[in-house]
Amino acid sequence: MSLPHAILTALLEKPSSGLELTRRFDKSIGYFWSATHQQIYRELGRLEEAGAIRALPRPDQPTRGQKKEYEVLPAGRDELAAWVGRIEDPKPIRDALLLRLRAAGVVGTQGLEAEVRRHLELHRAQLAEYRAIEERDFGDGRGSEGDRLRHLVLRAGIDLENFWLGWLEAARAELADMGTGAGMAADVRTGPEPAP
Amino acid sequence: MSLPHAILTALLEKPSSGLELTRRFDKSIGYFWSATHQQIYRELGRLEEAGAIRALPRPDQPTRGQKKEYEVLPAGRDELAAWVGRIEDPKPIRDALLLRLRAAGVVGTQGLEAEVRRHLELHRAQLAEYRAIEERDFGDGRGSEGDRLRHLVLRAGIDLENFWLGWLEAARAELADMGTGAGMAADVRTGPEPAP
DNA sequence: ACTCTTTATGCAACTTGTTGCACAACACGT
DNA sequence: ACGTGTTGTGCAACAAGTTGCATAAAGAGT
């Protein structure tokens, strides 16, 4: 139930149309809460319906193909403010690569090391991107309260990427070690075949 | 598309019924890929349909209320082995707390520090749980290839919790600092009220 | 015999996220 | 005037995950 709140936040930072929101998500909020333009349009409709936001009045009638800007109404702002301090448990991680490592324990590590190396590269690139943003937006001393909070969020992204780099490197080393040892991958296939 | 693979992995580790799988998910695989019993039953049906697994033959007819054990067929094992090395990009994180920090930048930090402290406690508890498992299952020297891989996955969990502890502590400090400074939370509410 | 709890499987309805496509307005080159 | 690309909104269908409930068997207590 967080997408509507993400949208409210973005709209408060700057009133926008659906497509503008989509673009801003792609290079900012989307780093930790991604959304497609479809989701965004749908949610904008619901938020308007619920009276949390409204479309800025426009002289024209047709809605198709016409830019439609939204702004947050007091009810929306209040809901967002309440959500910020609400009790809500963190959700456990959901990571397919960890699952794949576990699976490799029973069916062999064929192809996994290459995949781990690829992920290492991707995370390195992501980290570089975050660092560039940090340099650009928070290079000098601290700014407003909002700036400090946004910097904090970015630090989470940076620290997370650093965690991944460290762990993936360890995984890569471990897999390489296994690969050069006795050929286990083939041995693993020793489960009982089901009777016909 | 990872749940079926999680189930295949679990079934290869040990053939089980739906409910047994659910329980095992709760205390092992579920740490990084959680699933409800509903999801699991549904997926078991699909996997059986697809010929990846099969129910162990039982003398009785009624299915309702009767335990039904599944085992993996060769097709399922092959699919899992192929998936382990498949190219699949990591998904960006999705964390509501980060979103809430960002939102706090525009609507004020009311109640956030308490929530951050609560999360700190939860992550401390999770870390302790992981460490206990590590002690219990991997306390001595390294075991089989499967053990080493499972240990690696557990390390990811531990490192992640450590990341959260570090970051949440920094966030807590920052929020505390803001709280004692000028009362900003009220000031923030300065957005333009929409014309009626 | 009876209720109550636990174990076990499953349907139905809903929410959230993804994918593919349709369609309107407008700018721009030719 | 006419295609072509870009910007912009949106429907429809699907896939994945969540929530609530129904149902059945088996054991335990009274």
Side-chain angles (χ1 to χ4, degrees), chain B residues 2-155:
Chain B
S2 300
L3 180 57
H5 300 108
I7 291 177
L8 286 174
T9 304
L11 284 183
L12 279 170
E13 288 172 357
K14 182 181 182 325
S16 311
S17 68
L19 201 57
E20 278 164 10
L21 274 180
T22 304
R23 290 204 234 278
R24 288 173 54 208
F25 263 66
D26 284 345
K27 61 187 149 100
S28 167
I29 289 187
Y31 285 137
F32 50 94
W33 204 279
S34 63
T36 63
H37 70 123
Q38 283 305 337
Q39 278 180 280
I40 289 172
Y41 280 122
R42 198 198 302 177
E43 211 57 59
L44 282 172
R46 286 180 193 161
L47 285 167
E48 189 176 22
E49 177 93 15
I53 62 175
R54 68 158 190 177
L56 290 179
R58 286 248 165 189
D60 40 33
Q61 287 140 333
T63 165
R64 200 82 187 216
Q66 279 298 316
K67 186 147 79 165
K68 206 160 74 176
E69 291 229 308
Y70 290 93
E71 71 174 359
V72 179
L73 293 173
R77 175 184 281 268
D78 291 347
E79 162 55 27
L80 188 63
W83 178 70
V84 162
R86 197 125 79 208
I87 288 177
E88 202 171 285
D89 286 346
K91 292 219 196 124
I93 28 156
R94 232 138 203 284
D95 189 276
L97 192 61
L98 295 180
L99 210 51
R100 290 204 267 173
L101 241 87
R102 173 93 175 224
V106 278
V107 296
T109 60
Q110 189 59 251
L112 232 197
E113 202 194 333
E115 185 60 0
V116 165
R117 266 200 295 264
R118 212 175 58 83
H119 280 230
L120 260 171
E121 279 318 307
L122 292 171
H123 284 287
R124 260 196 266 274
Q126 187 66 66
L127 178 58
E129 199 176 327
Y130 285 158
R131 286 216 193 279
I133 294 174
E134 187 178 36
E135 188 70 25
R136 169 163 60 79
D137 293 0
F138 310 103
D140 47 3
R142 17 236 24 237
S144 69
E145 180 173 308
D147 286 340
R148 286 161 75 186
L149 287 168
R150 265 181 284 120
H151 192 185
L152 206 50
V153 172
L154 182 60
R155 286 303 320 174

Side-chain angles (χ1 to χ4, degrees), chain A residues 16-101:
Chain A
S16 311
S17 67
L19 201 57
E20 279 165 9
L21 274 181
T22 305
R23 291 205 235 276
R24 290 173 51 208
F25 262 67
D26 283 346
K27 60 184 151 105
S28 165
I29 290 187
Y31 285 137
F32 50 94
W33 203 278
S34 64
T36 63
H37 71 126
Q38 282 306 334
Q39 276 179 281
I40 288 171
Y41 281 121
R42 198 198 304 178
E43 211 58 58
L44 282 172
R46 284 179 194 162
L47 286 166
E48 188 176 23
E49 177 93 16
I53 63 176
R54 67 158 190 178
L56 289 180
R58 288 248 164 187
D60 40 33
Q61 287 142 332
T63 164
R64 201 81 185 223
Q66 280 297 316
K67 185 147 80 166
K68 209 160 71 174
E69 290 229 307
Y70 291 93
E71 72 174 1
V72 179
L73 294 173
R77 175 184 281 270
D78 291 348
E79 161 56 25
L80 188 63
W83 179 69
V84 163
R86 196 123 80 208
I87 288 178
E88 203 170 282
D89 286 347
K91 291 218 197 125
I93 28 154
R94 231 137 204 284
D95 190 275
L97 192 60
L98 295 180
L99 211 49
R100 290 203 268 172
L101 240 85

